[in-house]
């Protein structure tokens, strides 16, 4: 259901699935809204899908809503619709207010709009690890981390923390998807405000407000990944991505792709031994290590990481074939973005 509440010239819109509660305020002048009932105050609850489908096909222009005995007549230039409604607001009872020890912080709207799509491909679908099915936010005295992980790979974005707030929360993927819609709206706000306690998070973006339940569980400790990796390669992103996509056609069901670096040349192999098919491509790499190395990564995760790195040249850092491989843009230190960690896969 979706609730519309008119108070004089202010139109409030509410919606919920009892996990996420959404609010939006629209301040409209008399040329846009004119309520002639109950001294300018009125409440109506509709089935959202019916209302949405109706609004998609109604032509632009003024719309008149007439309410009588549970039926709303929606009049427009060329015709009218009749849809049921109720004034029962009980379904929209929101969670109790945040605990007294709640904390608040803000994140730049522009950076969030860039970061969220980059991290989304690495959200886990494993319901046995609920904390990994959302976006983890970790606040320290120096930085704010946004992270997602599917255990094979992880995306991480680190933003400076300009507040004295510390703590952590994990927001569901649904919460972040709705936040992404907020970020697309044009308004005067430059920051998104977050307030959270142990169970809920409140997000304010422009005229939109969302109250959502957080995910209870422990996100994997990724701090051991944040370290210096002594070896690196610089690779042309577009060429690498093109070769990888071609090899993935013949990869096995686990999207396993084998890489072999030797004498400045990288060989990429996709093979499915069960079906007897394989592919192989070659391209040049540059870096500070010429030692031969053979390793295997999840090719699909690697493609997702490459697509979300804005630079034309990608740096791959590593220690050896048994430790994670790190992907980032060559200018990652000078621009907001994400760093991606790829765990090596066992291969034969």
């Amino acid at each position: 259901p979706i609730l519309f509440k008119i108070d004089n010239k202010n139109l409030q819109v509410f919606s919920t699935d009892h996990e996420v509660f959404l609010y939006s305020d629209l301040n409209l002048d008399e040329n846009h809204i004119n309520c002639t009932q109950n001294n300018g105050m009125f409440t109506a609850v509709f089935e959202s899908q019916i209302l949405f489908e109706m609004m998609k096909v109604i032509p632009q222009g003024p719309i008149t809503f007439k309410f009588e005995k549970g039926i709303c007549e929606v009049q427009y230039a060329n015709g009218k619709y009749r849809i049921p409604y109720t004034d029962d607001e009980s379904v929209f009872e929101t969670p109790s207010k945040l605990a007294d020890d709640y904390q608040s912080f803000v994140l730049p709207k522009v950076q969030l709009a860039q970061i969220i799509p980059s991290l989304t491909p690495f959200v886990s679908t494993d319901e046995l690890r609920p904390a990994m099915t959302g976006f983890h936010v970790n606040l320290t005295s120096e930085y704010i981390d946004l992270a997602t992980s599917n255990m094979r790979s992880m995306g991480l974005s680190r933003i400076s923390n300009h507040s004295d707030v510390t703590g952590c929360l994990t927001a569901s993927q649904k919460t972040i998807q709705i936040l992404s819609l907020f970020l697309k709206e044009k308004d005067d706000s430059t920051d998104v405000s977050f307030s959270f306690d142990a169970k809920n998070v409140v997000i304010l973006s422009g005229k939109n407000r969302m109250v959502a339940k957080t995910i209870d569980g422990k996100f994997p400790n990724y701090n051991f990944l944040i370290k210096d990796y002594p070896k690196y390669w610089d690779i042309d992103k577009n060429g690498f991505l093109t070769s990888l996509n071609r090899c993935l056609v013949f990869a096995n069901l686990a999207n396993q792709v084998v890489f072999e670096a030797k004498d400045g040349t990288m060989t990429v192999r996709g093979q499915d031994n069960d079906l007897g098919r394989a592919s192989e491509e070659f391209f040049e790499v540059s870096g500070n290590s010429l030692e031969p190395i053979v390793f295997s990564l999840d090719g699909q995760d690697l493609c997702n990481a490459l697509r979300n790195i804005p630079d034309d040249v990608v740096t791959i850092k590593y220690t050896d074939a048994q430790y994670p491989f790190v992907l980032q843009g060559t200018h990652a230190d000078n621009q907001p973005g994400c760093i991606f960690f790829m765990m090596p896969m066992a291969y034969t």
Side-chain angles (χ1 to χ4, degrees):
I2 188 166
L3 166 67
F4 291 85
K5 181 178 289 187
I6 297 172
D7 184 359
N8 293 321
K9 300 303 178 183
N10 185 45
L11 172 62
Q12 297 177 312
V13 184
F14 302 81
S15 184
T16 182
D17 62 358
H18 300 289
E19 177 186 344
V20 178
F21 298 80
L22 300 178
Y23 310 79
S24 184
D25 290 330
L26 301 175
N27 295 314
L28 304 175
D29 59 36
E30 60 184 9
N31 294 322
H32 291 87
I33 188 169
N34 183 21
C35 180
T36 60
Q37 292 181 268
N38 300 332
N39 297 319
M41 301 182 66
F42 193 78
T43 298
V45 179
F46 298 96
E47 183 182 336
S48 58
Q49 190 63 33
I50 292 177
L51 193 64
F52 180 68
E53 295 297 332
M54 183 181 70
M55 289 301 174
K56 286 197 300 185
V57 296
I58 289 180
Q60 291 187 356
I63 300 174
T64 300
F65 293 81
K66 290 187 175 181
F67 300 89
E68 184 176 358
K69 296 180 180 180
I71 296 296
C72 174
E73 187 173 275
V74 184
Q75 300 177 352
Y76 56 97
N78 302 323
K80 61 184 178 182
Y81 283 99
R82 289 171 58 85
I83 57 175
Y85 80 96
T86 178
D87 58 1
D88 182 10
E89 301 181 46
S90 60
V91 70
F92 295 95
E93 292 181 2
T94 60
S96 59
K97 67 177 182 178
L98 293 175
D100 293 338
D101 59 348
Y102 79 90
Q103 302 187 81
S104 299
F105 63 96
V106 297
L107 291 176
K109 186 174 181 179
V110 173
Q111 286 191 16
L112 276 177
Q114 296 173 341
I115 292 169
I116 289 176
S118 300
L119 295 180
T120 298
F122 301 96
V123 175
S124 174
T125 58
D126 186 358
E127 296 297 334
L128 297 177
R129 298 184 177 94
M132 296 174 59
T133 61
F135 281 64
H136 182 69
V137 184
N138 182 39
L139 298 99
T140 72
S141 58
E142 298 179 358
Y143 52 79
I144 302 175
D145 283 345
L146 283 78
T148 57
S149 175
N150 57 22
M151 292 303 290
R152 303 180 308 273
S153 308
M154 189 185 86
L156 173 67
S157 180
R158 178 161 286 182
I159 303 172
S160 297
N161 187 3
H162 299 293
S163 69
D164 56 357
V165 175
T166 60
C168 63
L169 69 123
T170 303
S172 69
Q173 187 173 11
K174 180 190 296 184
T175 301
I176 300 301
Q177 288 174 340
I178 297 172
L179 174 58
S180 297
L181 298 178
F182 290 173
L183 298 176
K184 294 178 181 179
E185 295 184 2
K186 295 181 179 180
D187 54 48
D188 296 331
S189 61
T190 58
D191 292 327
V192 179
S193 172
F194 297 80
S195 300
F196 68 99
D197 59 16
K199 296 182 178 180
N200 297 300
V201 58
V202 179
I203 302 176
L204 297 176
S205 177
K207 296 180 180 180
N208 298 304
R209 178 172 179 260
M210 172 169 45
V211 181
K213 297 178 181 179
T214 56
I215 297 177
D216 185 20
K218 188 175 182 181
F219 194 81
N221 183 4
Y222 54 85
N223 288 317
F224 74 96
L225 298 173
I226 314 298
K227 62 180 182 179
D228 292 331
Y229 292 81
K231 304 173 184 178
Y232 74 89
W233 302 305
D234 288 332
I235 300 179
D236 173 68
K237 183 186 74 173
N238 293 327
F240 188 25
L241 185 57
T242 300
S243 295
L244 191 58
N245 277 322
R246 285 196 287 259
C247 289
L248 267 174
V249 173
F250 293 123
N252 59 21
L253 294 177
N255 294 318
Q256 186 178 46
V257 179
V258 178
F259 301 84
E260 181 176 0
K262 183 178 180 181
D263 299 328
T265 300
M266 178 77 78
T267 303
V268 185
R269 299 188 184 96
Q271 58 190 37
D272 190 330
N273 295 329
D274 294 334
L275 298 178
R277 59 190 186 187
S279 58
E280 188 173 79
E281 294 226 358
F282 311 90
F283 55 93
E284 295 182 355
V285 297
S286 61
N288 67 348
S289 176
L290 299 178
E291 298 177 5
I293 183 174
V294 180
F295 59 96
S296 177
L297 299 176
D298 185 305
Q300 192 59 59
D301 282 352
L302 186 56
C303 284
N304 287 330
L306 292 169
R307 294 189 190 102
N308 287 290
I309 294 177
D311 294 344
D312 292 330
V313 177
V314 172
T315 298
I316 300 180
K317 298 180 180 180
Y318 67 103
T319 300
D320 58 42
Q322 307 302 318
Y323 289 86
F325 289 77
V326 185
L327 277 76
Q328 64 183 71
T330 52
H331 301 96
D333 295 335
N334 300 320
Q335 62 188 15
C338 297
I339 300 175
F340 303 96
F341 299 88
M342 304 285 154
M343 307 302 293
M345 303 172 68
Y347 68 93
T348 57

